[in-house]
């Protein structure tokens, strides 16, 4: 019995299939199957009931899962507490929201390279909903994104808060006054796709005033939405961070509204499981680097 076999067993159970475990471990599905079979042979028991269409744990398999989790926790804790950071080898696949990638992500990557020079990073930028789906499926090990403060089977660390406000180009002709949702609904809205963190919040904000907004466009990128807003095509809900210069130079203006949103909390989310992991370590570094409002 080896730690590699136990890790393969652990991820096969957690992710629900040999193929998902293979993707997580950078191995082939046949390699995962071989490791599981070798583990069963070494213990002299069957861990999965293969008589069903979908492999299910046997009673011995469920019992082993408890031991495997504890042993892998101890192994990872030993590596993080005893081994020098420079000797840690591995990879972290993580996803980031656009607001992070355009602010302090470069500082985070630089810090990771300094602390863990032999750790490989695979980084994906997408909307929050897509990132959290990939985290749940095991395709990502860490997500840095807004809006999701609680996730089933995930641990989170706060990265701070970012104020978002309604904005428009001065050329659009909005009066300088406080707008109710029903009044702002008279203007075309440039939003993000439903997979974004604040899509449902915006919809609910308009419904509070028994109004329904009319979308001119729903974008995948905050930058695209901002550029259309600067062009005077509609109003948009944008982060203050990153657009201070456009506001100062008169390309964008903040729209005052009734019952405005609270600042949006950004979080680092990673799977529950090991008490120590590279994903958790990167999450802690992200919290250290983040310059969002605490």
């Amino acid at each position: 019995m080896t730690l590699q076999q136990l890790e393969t067993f652990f991820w096969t159970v957690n992710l629900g299939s040999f193929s998902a475990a293979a993707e997580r471990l950078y191995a082939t599905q046949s390699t995962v199957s071989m490791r599981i079979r070798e583990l069963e042979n070494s213990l002299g028991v069957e861990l999965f009931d293969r008589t069903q269409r979908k492999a299910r744990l046997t009673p011995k398999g469920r019992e082993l899962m408890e031991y495997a989790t504890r042993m892998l926790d101890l192994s990872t804790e030993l590596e993080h507490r005893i081994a020098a950071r420079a000797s840690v080898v591995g990879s972290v696949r993580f996803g980031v929201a656009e607001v992070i990638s355009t602010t302090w992500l470069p500082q985070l990557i630089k810090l990771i390279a300094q602390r863990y020079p032999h750790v490989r990073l695979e980084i994906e930028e997408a909307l929050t909903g897509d990132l959290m789906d990939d985290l749940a499926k095991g395709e990502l090990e860490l997500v840095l994104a807004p809006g999701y403060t609680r996730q089933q089977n995930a641990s989170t660390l706060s990265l701070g808060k970012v104020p978002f406000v309604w904005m428009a180009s001065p050329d659009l002709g909005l009066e300088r006054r406080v707008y109710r949702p029903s009044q702002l609904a008279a203007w075309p809205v440039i939003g993000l796709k439903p997979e974004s963190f604040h899509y449902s919040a915006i919809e609910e904000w308009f419904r509070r005033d028994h109004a329904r907004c009319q979308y001119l466009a729903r974008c995948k990128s905050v930058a695209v939405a901002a550029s259309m807003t600067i062009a005077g095509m509609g109003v948009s809900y944008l982060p203050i961070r990153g657009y201070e210069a456009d506001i100062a130079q008169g390309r964008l203006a903040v729209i005052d509204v009734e019952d405005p949103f609270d600042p949006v909390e950004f979080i680092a989310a990673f799977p529950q499981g090991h008490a120590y992991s590279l994903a958790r370590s990167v999450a802690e570094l992200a919290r250290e680097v983040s310059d969002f409002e605490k």
Side-chain angles (χ1 to χ4, degrees), residues 3-4 9 17 57 83 93 100 109 115 145 156 161 164 182 190 207-208 224 232 239 260:
L3 280 173
Q4 186 182 60
F9 172 75
S17 70
L57 284 176
R93 292 175 291 184
I100 291 176
I109 295 172
R115 302 276 181 89
T156 61
K161 297 181 179 181
F164 279 64
S182 58
I190 302 167
R207 282 195 292 267
R208 290 178 198 168
V224 171

Side-chain angles (χ1 to χ4, degrees), residues 58-95:
T58 63
K60 286 293 184 182
R62 289 192 293 272
E63 189 175 354
L64 177 62
M65 188 60 180
E66 297 179 18
Y67 285 102
T69 301
R70 286 155 57 186
M71 291 175 72
L72 291 171
D73 270 348
L74 284 172
S75 174
T76 309
E77 181 179 355
L78 184 151
E79 183 178 34
H80 280 74
R81 289 190 178 276
I82 306 300
R85 286 175 175 171
S87 69
V88 175
V89 177
S91 63
V92 180
R93 292 175 291 184
F94 69 95

Side-chain angles (χ1 to χ4, degrees), residues 85-227:
R85 286 175 175 171
S87 69
V88 175
V89 177
S91 63
V92 180
R93 292 175 291 184
F94 69 95
V96 297
E98 186 179 1
V99 174
I100 291 176
S101 64
T102 56
T103 51
W104 47 262
L105 180 62
Q107 287 73 32
L108 174 61
I109 295 172
K110 183 178 179 180
L111 183 60
I112 295 170
Q114 291 172 347
R115 302 276 181 89
Y116 300 98
H118 299 298
V119 169
R120 183 177 71 249
L121 303 177
E122 296 181 19
I123 305 171
E124 174 184 340
E125 181 184 281
L127 296 175
T128 305
D130 293 330
L131 294 176
M132 297 306 293
D133 286 345
D134 287 345
L135 181 70
K137 291 185 291 187
E139 295 175 5
L140 293 174
E141 299 160 69
L142 172 66
V143 167
L144 310 178
Y148 287 76
T149 55
R150 290 182 178 85
Q151 281 292 308
Q152 186 177 6
N153 299 323
S155 299
T156 61
L157 296 176
S158 177
L159 301 176
K161 297 181 179 181
V162 175
F164 279 64
V165 295
W166 286 101
M167 298 188 198
S169 165
D171 296 336
L172 196 61
L174 272 76
E175 299 176 10
R176 295 183 62 85
R177 60 186 178 88
V178 177
Y179 284 82
R180 293 176 52 180
S182 58
Q183 295 168 329
L184 194 63
W187 302 90
V189 172
I190 302 167
L192 296 184
K193 290 187 174 183
E195 295 81 8
S196 67
F197 82 98
H198 65 304
Y199 173 82
S200 58
I202 288 175
E203 291 283 305
E204 177 60 28
W205 185 75
F206 280 104
R207 282 195 292 267
R208 290 178 198 168
D209 203 23
H210 306 288
R212 188 177 185 86
C213 64
Q214 301 298 319
Y215 287 99
L216 173 68
R218 287 188 288 204
C219 311
K220 191 175 182 179
S221 166
V222 172
V224 171
S227 66

